[in-house]
Amino acid sequence: MNSISDILSAVDDLLHGFEPSPPSLARCYTEAQIWDNAPLWAILSQGAQHHADKVAIKDAVRELTYRQLLEQADGIAKRFQEDGLVMGDRVVIQLSNTCYFAIAFFAAQRAGLVPVMALPAHGLAEISHFFAVSQAKGYICERILESPESLEIADTLSMSDNSLTHIYAIKHHGKYLAFHPSSQPGFTPPKVIPEHPALFLVSGGTTGLPKLIPRTHNDYLFNIRSCVEVSDITANDIYLAVLPAAHNFTLGCPGLLGALSKGGQVIFSTQAGPDHCFDLIENHSITATALVPALAQLWTEASEWETADLSSLRLMQVGGSKLAYSDALAIQTAFPKVLQQVFGMAEGLIACTRLGDAPAIIAAKQGCPVSKWDEIRIVDNAGNPVAIGEEGELLTRGPYTLRGYYRAPKHNQVTFTDDGFYRSGDKVRMDEDRYITVTGRIKDVINRAGESIATDEIEAHLLCHPEIAQVAVVPVADTHLGERIGVALVCKGEPLTLQNIRHFLKSKNLAAFKMPDELHLVHSLPKTAVGKIDKKSVPGPNGKPWMLNTYR
Ligand code: AMP
């Protein structure tokens, strides 16, 4: 039995370094019933109440009904308690897309543990960092196909000096604790406080190690509910989790939790390629999924020759990075009427186009906030609001947007305004109807001989070239210019030359000082843990990362 003092001390420690919403706003959100004042696991307990014998989750080898998922989660939650983990303790979960992900996630929730949602592609540096910041006691991992070092991380962590005391390696118990339900019957979940963190998402930033984003029971339930509403998720939906399940997009926008919250079904896939996923769509009558643009592009190309019946698909969300206009048009041709652009951040704000919007809007814009309670400010360099339709940095605040990264006081000072708006670093325009168009990142700028050049402007032009599949424009160190413009290209067919692309950009009336200085042709561009183009790792001609490592 865990002692009350252990629990109090774990919850106290959890709250150290957590920035809650101010009490006046919290009251307002509660009174307006934006916040449900319920634990996040209510999604599963309600599912088990209303859809007990319906299949909730499936992967390549198993399936569980809502009742079985709750029983499994409770059995493991009880095991956690027996092993000495208590409400408020943090656990790092690093699992691939299988039923174990859902079992571990809900088991942690039922036990009142707070999971740090690591992605399968995170390596020792990131995972060690998550432990250092969160002081997590538990690590739930497995041998992950994409990450040969996954169990080595457990081995290394177990031998180093850190907060880790409990390692659960699924299917590799020998050395570690068994990830098996307790043999003792009965489980009563501890009473969590819905305004406390329920999970930590990890930031997908371009610099440094990821930061921890506390998401409370209240805010995440509202996030999920709002996304469910705008995407019309119902019990008939069958959601394909193809991007990493731990990422906000797949987890809760509306993602797998959104599908489960309505009594729908989730199919987990460990492979993202179209050959595999198209078969899943046909065999399971998948209705909804979420992709990053590079993957959507791959699926679109494959739809020309793959023969699977994809007619059940009614919602293809594409987001996480900018979807080029030409790619959006191609998706709309290959998969008519299913595209929904999503512009969102693990920090909170989610905006998306609606399925009923005009196709031209869906192709060109990233969408409007999912809640009328999302407050948006677009500001110029001096922090002053710009006029409607003008470009500026997006600042946001609202019932599901964080008020501070976890245990990062210095960073929070510059990332939040005095009145609690999160500075997203995204450059956007917003129309009268609150539809947002993302135009780039504030800091994605090359300083070439004193001129500031936005990399996204050059990228957007180059993506209109019929022979270019993917592009990354990066600042490259230069003794004379300070920085020069490097372009890494994936060509569709014949290789292009520097002269070809300069000529093309000139025809688009781009200023002479914005002309690329150097071109490097590659077969593919490196991706982040969730599949976005990772500029930091784009290789230069010598095979080493090309971008200046002092990227601002
Ligand atoms: P993450 O927290 O990993 O979801 O990353 C959030 C960031 O991804 C945002 O702040 C944007 O910079 C970028 N992002 C997400 N969705 C889009 C989109 N549809 N278009 C352009 N950028 C996006």
Side-chain angles (χ1 to χ4, degrees), residues 412-447:
N412 288 339
Q413 262 174 17
V414 289
T415 311
F416 293 82
T417 62
D418 291 343
D419 53 355
F421 276 75
Y422 165 63
R423 298 182 208 271
S424 72
D426 290 320
K427 231 176 0 170
V428 305
R429 286 195 305 269
M430 189 165 77
D431 304 336
E432 201 82 57
D433 56 5
R434 304 227 305 163
Y435 269 64
I436 293 168
T437 306
V438 182
T439 54
R441 293 279 305 162
I442 291 289
K443 290 178 185 160
D444 248 351
V445 174
I446 298 176
N447 271 334

CSV table of all heavy atoms in Angstrom, one decimal, residues 412-447:
chain,number,residue,atom,x,y,z
A,412,ASN,N,10.7,30.6,-20.4
A,412,ASN,CA,9.3,31.1,-20.4
A,412,ASN,C,9.3,32.6,-20.3
A,412,ASN,O,8.4,33.2,-20.9
A,412,ASN,CB,8.6,30.5,-19.1
A,412,ASN,CG,8.3,29.0,-19.3
A,412,ASN,OD1,8.3,28.5,-20.4
A,412,ASN,ND2,8.1,28.3,-18.2
A,413,GLN,N,10.3,33.2,-19.8
A,413,GLN,CA,10.3,34.7,-19.7
A,413,GLN,C,10.3,35.3,-21.1
A,413,GLN,O,9.6,36.3,-21.3
A,413,GLN,CB,11.6,35.2,-19.0
A,413,GLN,CG,11.3,35.5,-17.6
A,413,GLN,CD,12.6,35.8,-16.8
A,413,GLN,OE1,13.6,36.1,-17.4
A,413,GLN,NE2,12.5,35.7,-15.5
A,414,VAL,N,11.0,34.7,-22.1
A,414,VAL,CA,11.0,35.2,-23.4
A,414,VAL,C,9.9,34.7,-24.3
A,414,VAL,O,9.5,35.2,-25.3
A,414,VAL,CB,12.3,35.1,-24.1
A,414,VAL,CG1,13.4,35.9,-23.5
A,414,VAL,CG2,12.8,33.6,-24.1
A,415,THR,N,9.3,33.5,-23.9
A,415,THR,CA,8.4,32.8,-24.8
A,415,THR,C,6.9,33.2,-24.5
A,415,THR,O,6.0,32.9,-25.3
A,415,THR,CB,8.6,31.3,-24.7
A,415,THR,OG1,9.9,31.0,-24.8
A,415,THR,CG2,7.8,30.5,-25.8
A,416,PHE,N,6.7,33.9,-23.4
A,416,PHE,CA,5.3,34.3,-23.1
A,416,PHE,C,5.3,35.8,-22.8
A,416,PHE,O,6.2,36.3,-22.3
A,416,PHE,CB,4.8,33.5,-21.8
A,416,PHE,CG,4.7,32.1,-22.1
A,416,PHE,CD1,5.7,31.2,-22.0
A,416,PHE,CD2,3.4,31.5,-22.5
A,416,PHE,CE1,5.6,29.8,-22.3
A,416,PHE,CE2,3.3,30.2,-22.8
A,416,PHE,CZ,4.4,29.3,-22.7
A,417,THR,N,4.2,36.4,-23.2
A,417,THR,CA,4.0,37.8,-22.9
A,417,THR,C,3.6,38.0,-21.4
A,417,THR,O,3.3,37.0,-20.8
A,417,THR,CB,2.9,38.4,-23.8
A,417,THR,OG1,1.7,37.8,-23.4
A,417,THR,CG2,3.2,38.3,-25.3
A,418,ASP,N,3.6,39.2,-21.0
A,418,ASP,CA,3.3,39.4,-19.6
A,418,ASP,C,1.9,39.0,-19.3
A,418,ASP,O,1.5,38.6,-18.1
A,418,ASP,CB,3.4,40.9,-19.2
A,418,ASP,CG,4.9,41.3,-19.2
A,418,ASP,OD1,5.7,40.4,-19.1
A,418,ASP,OD2,5.2,42.5,-19.3
A,419,ASP,N,1.0,39.1,-20.3
A,419,ASP,CA,-0.4,38.6,-20.0
A,419,ASP,C,-0.7,37.2,-20.5
A,419,ASP,O,-1.8,36.8,-20.8
A,419,ASP,CB,-1.4,39.6,-20.6
A,419,ASP,CG,-1.2,39.9,-22.1
A,419,ASP,OD1,-0.2,39.4,-22.6
A,419,ASP,OD2,-2.0,40.6,-22.7
A,420,GLY,N,0.4,36.4,-20.6
A,420,GLY,CA,0.2,35.0,-20.8
A,420,GLY,C,0.0,34.4,-22.2
A,420,GLY,O,-0.3,33.3,-22.4
A,421,PHE,N,0.3,35.3,-23.2
A,421,PHE,CA,0.2,34.8,-24.6
A,421,PHE,C,1.5,34.0,-24.9
A,421,PHE,O,2.6,34.5,-24.6
A,421,PHE,CB,0.0,35.9,-25.6
A,421,PHE,CG,-1.5,36.3,-25.7
A,421,PHE,CD1,-2.1,37.1,-24.8
A,421,PHE,CD2,-2.2,36.0,-26.9
A,421,PHE,CE1,-3.4,37.5,-24.9
A,421,PHE,CE2,-3.5,36.4,-27.0
A,421,PHE,CZ,-4.1,37.1,-26.0
A,422,TYR,N,1.3,32.9,-25.6
A,422,TYR,CA,2.4,32.1,-26.1
A,422,TYR,C,2.9,32.6,-27.4
A,422,TYR,O,2.1,32.8,-28.3
A,422,TYR,CB,2.0,30.6,-26.2
A,422,TYR,CG,3.0,29.8,-27.0
A,422,TYR,CD1,4.3,29.6,-26.5
A,422,TYR,CD2,2.6,29.1,-28.2
A,422,TYR,CE1,5.2,28.8,-27.2
A,422,TYR,CE2,3.5,28.4,-28.9
A,422,TYR,CZ,4.7,28.2,-28.4
A,422,TYR,OH,5.6,27.4,-29.1
A,423,ARG,N,4.2,33.0,-27.5
A,423,ARG,CA,4.8,33.5,-28.7
A,423,ARG,C,5.2,32.2,-29.6
A,423,ARG,O,6.2,31.6,-29.2
A,423,ARG,CB,6.1,34.3,-28.5
A,423,ARG,CG,5.9,35.5,-27.7
A,423,ARG,CD,7.2,36.2,-27.5
A,423,ARG,NE,7.3,37.0,-26.3
A,423,ARG,CZ,6.9,38.3,-26.2
A,423,ARG,NH1,6.4,38.9,-27.2
A,423,ARG,NH2,7.0,38.9,-25.0
A,424,SER,N,4.4,32.0,-30.6
A,424,SER,CA,4.6,30.7,-31.3
A,424,SER,C,5.8,30.7,-32.2
A,424,SER,O,6.3,29.6,-32.6
A,424,SER,CB,3.4,30.4,-32.2
A,424,SER,OG,3.4,31.3,-33.3
A,425,GLY,N,6.3,31.9,-32.6
A,425,GLY,CA,7.4,31.9,-33.6
A,425,GLY,C,7.0,31.7,-35.0
A,425,GLY,O,7.8,31.7,-35.9
A,426,ASP,N,5.7,31.4,-35.2
A,426,ASP,CA,5.2,31.2,-36.5
A,426,ASP,C,4.8,32.5,-37.2
A,426,ASP,O,4.1,33.4,-36.5
A,426,ASP,CB,3.9,30.3,-36.5
A,426,ASP,CG,4.3,28.9,-36.1
A,426,ASP,OD1,5.4,28.4,-36.6
A,426,ASP,OD2,3.6,28.2,-35.3
A,427,LYS,N,5.1,32.7,-38.4
A,427,LYS,CA,4.7,33.9,-39.2
A,427,LYS,C,3.4,33.5,-39.9
A,427,LYS,O,3.4,32.6,-40.7
A,427,LYS,CB,5.8,34.2,-40.2
A,427,LYS,CG,6.3,35.6,-40.2
A,427,LYS,CD,7.5,35.9,-41.1
A,427,LYS,CE,8.1,34.9,-41.9
A,427,LYS,NZ,9.0,35.3,-42.9
A,428,VAL,N,2.4,34.3,-39.7
A,428,VAL,CA,1.1,34.0,-40.3
A,428,VAL,C,0.4,35.3,-40.8
A,428,VAL,O,0.8,36.4,-40.4
A,428,VAL,CB,0.2,33.3,-39.3
A,428,VAL,CG1,0.8,32.0,-38.7
A,428,VAL,CG2,-0.3,34.2,-38.2
A,429,ARG,N,-0.7,35.0,-41.5
A,429,ARG,CA,-1.7,36.1,-41.8
A,429,ARG,C,-3.0,35.5,-41.4
A,429,ARG,O,-3.2,34.3,-41.5
A,429,ARG,CB,-1.7,36.3,-43.4
A,429,ARG,CG,-0.6,37.1,-43.9
A,429,ARG,CD,-1.0,37.6,-45.3
A,429,ARG,NE,-1.4,36.5,-46.2
A,429,ARG,CZ,-0.6,35.8,-47.0
A,429,ARG,NH1,0.7,36.1,-47.0
A,429,ARG,NH2,-1.0,34.9,-47.7
A,430,MET,N,-3.9,36.4,-40.9
A,430,MET,CA,-5.2,35.9,-40.5
A,430,MET,C,-6.3,36.8,-41.2
A,430,MET,O,-6.2,38.0,-41.2
A,430,MET,CB,-5.4,35.9,-39.0
A,430,MET,CG,-6.7,35.2,-38.6
A,430,MET,SD,-6.7,34.8,-36.8
A,430,MET,CE,-7.0,36.4,-36.2
A,431,ASP,N,-7.3,36.2,-41.7
A,431,ASP,CA,-8.4,36.9,-42.4
A,431,ASP,C,-9.4,37.3,-41.4
A,431,ASP,O,-9.4,36.9,-40.2
A,431,ASP,CB,-9.0,36.1,-43.5
A,431,ASP,CG,-8.0,35.6,-44.5
A,431,ASP,OD1,-6.9,36.3,-44.6
A,431,ASP,OD2,-8.2,34.6,-45.1
A,432,GLU,N,-10.4,38.1,-41.9
A,432,GLU,CA,-11.5,38.5,-41.1
A,432,GLU,C,-12.2,37.3,-40.4
A,432,GLU,O,-12.7,37.4,-39.3
A,432,GLU,CB,-12.5,39.2,-42.1
A,432,GLU,CG,-13.5,40.1,-41.4
A,432,GLU,CD,-12.9,41.5,-41.2
A,432,GLU,OE1,-12.4,42.1,-42.2
A,432,GLU,OE2,-12.9,41.9,-40.0
A,433,ASP,N,-12.3,36.2,-41.1
A,433,ASP,CA,-13.1,35.0,-40.6
A,433,ASP,C,-12.2,34.1,-39.8
A,433,ASP,O,-12.5,33.0,-39.5
A,433,ASP,CB,-13.7,34.2,-41.8
A,433,ASP,CG,-12.6,33.8,-42.8
A,433,ASP,OD1,-11.4,34.1,-42.5
A,433,ASP,OD2,-12.9,33.2,-43.8
A,434,ARG,N,-11.0,34.6,-39.3
A,434,ARG,CA,-10.1,33.9,-38.5
A,434,ARG,C,-9.4,32.8,-39.2
A,434,ARG,O,-8.7,31.9,-38.5
A,434,ARG,CB,-10.7,33.4,-37.2
A,434,ARG,CG,-11.4,34.5,-36.4
A,434,ARG,CD,-11.1,34.5,-34.9
A,434,ARG,NE,-11.3,33.2,-34.2
A,434,ARG,CZ,-10.8,32.9,-33.0
A,434,ARG,NH1,-10.0,33.8,-32.4
A,434,ARG,NH2,-11.1,31.8,-32.4
A,435,TYR,N,-9.4,32.7,-40.5
A,435,TYR,CA,-8.6,31.7,-41.2
A,435,TYR,C,-7.2,32.1,-41.3
A,435,TYR,O,-6.9,33.3,-41.6
A,435,TYR,CB,-9.2,31.4,-42.6
A,435,TYR,CG,-10.2,30.3,-42.6
A,435,TYR,CD1,-11.4,30.4,-41.8
A,435,TYR,CD2,-10.0,29.1,-43.2
A,435,TYR,CE1,-12.3,29.4,-41.8
A,435,TYR,CE2,-10.9,28.0,-43.1
A,435,TYR,CZ,-12.1,28.2,-42.4
A,435,TYR,OH,-13.0,27.2,-42.3
A,436,ILE,N,-6.3,31.2,-40.9
A,436,ILE,CA,-4.9,31.5,-40.8
A,436,ILE,C,-4.1,30.9,-42.0
A,436,ILE,O,-4.4,29.8,-42.5
A,436,ILE,CB,-4.3,30.9,-39.5
A,436,ILE,CG1,-5.0,31.6,-38.3
A,436,ILE,CG2,-2.8,30.9,-39.5
A,436,ILE,CD1,-4.7,30.9,-37.0
A,437,THR,N,-3.2,31.7,-42.6
A,437,THR,CA,-2.3,31.2,-43.6
A,437,THR,C,-0.9,31.3,-43.0
A,437,THR,O,-0.5,32.3,-42.5
A,437,THR,CB,-2.3,32.0,-44.9
A,437,THR,OG1,-3.7,32.0,-45.3
A,437,THR,CG2,-1.4,31.4,-46.0
A,438,VAL,N,-0.2,30.1,-42.9
A,438,VAL,CA,1.2,30.2,-42.3
A,438,VAL,C,2.1,30.6,-43.4
A,438,VAL,O,2.1,30.0,-44.5
A,438,VAL,CB,1.5,28.8,-41.7
A,438,VAL,CG1,2.9,28.8,-41.1
A,438,VAL,CG2,0.5,28.3,-40.7
A,439,THR,N,3.0,31.6,-43.1
A,439,THR,CA,3.9,32.0,-44.2
A,439,THR,C,5.3,31.7,-43.8
A,439,THR,O,6.2,31.8,-44.7
A,439,THR,CB,3.8,33.5,-44.4
A,439,THR,OG1,3.9,34.2,-43.1
A,439,THR,CG2,2.4,33.9,-45.0
A,440,GLY,N,5.6,31.2,-42.6
A,440,GLY,CA,7.0,30.8,-42.3
A,440,GLY,C,7.2,30.8,-40.8
A,440,GLY,O,6.3,30.9,-40.0
A,441,ARG,N,8.5,30.7,-40.5
A,441,ARG,CA,8.9,30.9,-39.1
A,441,ARG,C,9.7,32.2,-38.9
A,441,ARG,O,10.5,32.6,-39.8
A,441,ARG,CB,9.9,29.7,-38.7
A,441,ARG,CG,9.3,28.3,-38.7
A,441,ARG,CD,8.6,28.0,-37.4
A,441,ARG,NE,9.3,28.2,-36.2
A,441,ARG,CZ,8.8,28.3,-35.0
A,441,ARG,NH1,7.5,28.2,-34.9
A,441,ARG,NH2,9.5,28.4,-33.9
A,442,ILE,N,9.4,32.9,-37.8
A,442,ILE,CA,10.0,34.2,-37.6
A,442,ILE,C,11.5,34.1,-37.7
A,442,ILE,O,12.2,34.9,-38.2
A,442,ILE,CB,9.6,34.7,-36.1
A,442,ILE,CG1,8.2,35.0,-36.1
A,442,ILE,CG2,10.5,35.9,-35.7
A,442,ILE,CD1,7.8,36.3,-36.9
A,443,LYS,N,12.1,33.0,-37.1
A,443,LYS,CA,13.5,32.9,-37.0
A,443,LYS,C,14.2,32.2,-38.2
A,443,LYS,O,15.4,32.1,-38.3
A,443,LYS,CB,14.0,32.2,-35.8
A,443,LYS,CG,13.6,33.1,-34.6
A,443,LYS,CD,14.0,32.4,-33.3
A,443,LYS,CE,13.6,33.2,-32.1
A,443,LYS,NZ,13.4,32.5,-30.9
A,444,ASP,N,13.4,31.8,-39.2
A,444,ASP,CA,13.9,31.1,-40.4
A,444,ASP,C,14.4,32.1,-41.4
A,444,ASP,O,13.9,32.3,-42.4
A,444,ASP,CB,12.8,30.3,-41.0
A,444,ASP,CG,13.1,28.8,-40.9
A,444,ASP,OD1,14.2,28.5,-40.4
A,444,ASP,OD2,12.3,28.0,-41.2
A,445,VAL,N,15.5,32.8,-41.0
A,445,VAL,CA,16.0,33.9,-41.8
A,445,VAL,C,17.5,33.7,-42.0
A,445,VAL,O,18.2,33.2,-41.1
A,445,VAL,CB,15.8,35.2,-41.0
A,445,VAL,CG1,16.4,36.4,-41.7
A,445,VAL,CG2,14.3,35.5,-40.9
A,446,ILE,N,18.0,34.0,-43.2
A,446,ILE,CA,19.4,34.0,-43.5
A,446,ILE,C,19.9,35.4,-43.6
A,446,ILE,O,19.3,36.3,-44.2
A,446,ILE,CB,19.7,33.3,-44.9
A,446,ILE,CG1,19.2,31.8,-44.8
A,446,ILE,CG2,21.1,33.3,-45.2
A,446,ILE,CD1,19.3,31.1,-46.1
A,447,ASN,N,21.0,35.7,-42.8
A,447,ASN,CA,21.6,37.0,-42.9
A,447,ASN,C,22.7,37.0,-43.9
A,447,ASN,O,23.8,36.7,-43.5
A,447,ASN,CB,22.1,37.4,-41.5
A,447,ASN,CG,21.0,38.1,-40.7
A,447,ASN,OD1,20.1,38.7,-41.3
A,447,ASN,ND2,21.2,38.0,-39.4
